[in-house]
Amino acid sequence: MSEAVEPRAPEEPGPADFSNPVTRHELRRAIVWIGLGVSVILLWWLAQPLLLIFGGLVLAAMLDGGTRLLGRVLPIARGFRLAIVCLATLAFLVWTFYFAGSQLAAQAETLRVVVMAQMELLFSWGNRMGLVPHGGGGGAEIAKQLMGSLGQVTAAVGSALGAISSLAMILVIGVFIAIEPRLYERGFAWMLPMGRRATFYQTSARMGHTLRRLMAGRLLGMAVEGVGTGVALALVGVPMAALLGILTGLLAFLPNIGAIVSGVLIILVGFSAGFNTGMWAIAIYCVVQIIDGYLIVPMVARRSVDLAPALVLGAQILFGALFGILGLALADPMVAMIKVLLEEKSDHAAEAATGA
């Protein structure tokens, strides 16, 4: 007699059965989550190269803005206008370092000594008033720790400035993109579906316009703060006025944080020359910041993008902690670009909902 065959259980779709809709759905979900995880890891590991590329885009926006501005008064080919902007920038940098480099280098060491001495006096006064607890080395030890932290920041900046390869990459990327920005825009759009290219071009144009306005305002603010502070401090007799003016102008590229750091340096050096000079230093700092905060910044914000100061400061703290000095410097334009992108997506979503 033949052995009875037991009935088989119903078959379930296996991992290779892509015809089943449930399997396809789960596979797509798995691919999305795996892709998201891989993207986060890649972004983390490639953060520095991506920041260098974004720095090149920021530089290209500044060069492109100068080229467009020059075209209003000099109707020549774009390539010649870009060459004039690049040569003028290079000439200014060479002139600054050649004629003032040795003097500023000597003043930099003097500035460190003066700030160290003023910090010791400040904390000693705090000890006498009971505002700073005694012990732990006193005010001098606290000042030494603070100056040690400042030294670490200076070392970070120095290493960033000494990274010739990184700066060279930013310069090369910025110049190449500024020479033919449409070429790279079309190349990126080529990777997108045809239906999304018009939206990409519109968003790219608005982001470029915003970045040019933002950087133009930043350069204007740097010039006003640097020149105004240096000249005013020299008139009232504050030591190292030229160096303080240059530092104030450079730090003006970093909203919020730069103003705080430059203000502390100006006030400390001002009081090293006497009480009256210190009060003049405070007054000059306040006037310059008021002009920048109530005239230049609002004018730039109306024409570019309105960024909340707390948002920018939070982004600077976050990007500075994650990516160092380069992330701190590029936090403001990154936040501006993200805001423009979100606004564009919101506008298109609203238009689609209205049309539907």
Side-chain angles (χ1 to χ4, degrees), residues 21-77:
V22 177
T23 303
R24 290 201 303 268
H25 176 69
E26 294 299 328
L27 180 63
R28 282 196 295 266
R29 290 181 57 185
I31 292 175
V32 169
W33 283 108
I34 293 174
L36 180 62
V38 172
S39 299
V40 171
I41 295 174
L42 288 177
L43 286 176
W44 176 257
W45 285 104
L46 300 177
Q48 292 299 326
L50 291 175
L51 285 176
L52 292 179
I53 295 174
F54 187 76
L57 291 174
V58 173
L59 177 62
M62 291 189 286
L63 295 176
D64 185 53
T67 303
R68 291 168 181 260
L69 184 62
L70 187 61
R72 298 181 179 181
V73 297
L74 195 61
I76 58 177

Side-chain angles (χ1 to χ4, degrees), residues 278-296:
M279 297 304 295
W280 275 112
I282 294 176
I284 291 171
Y285 171 75
C286 292
V287 170
V288 171
Q289 293 301 318
I290 288 173
I291 293 175
D292 181 67
Y294 287 92
L295 293 179
I296 298 177

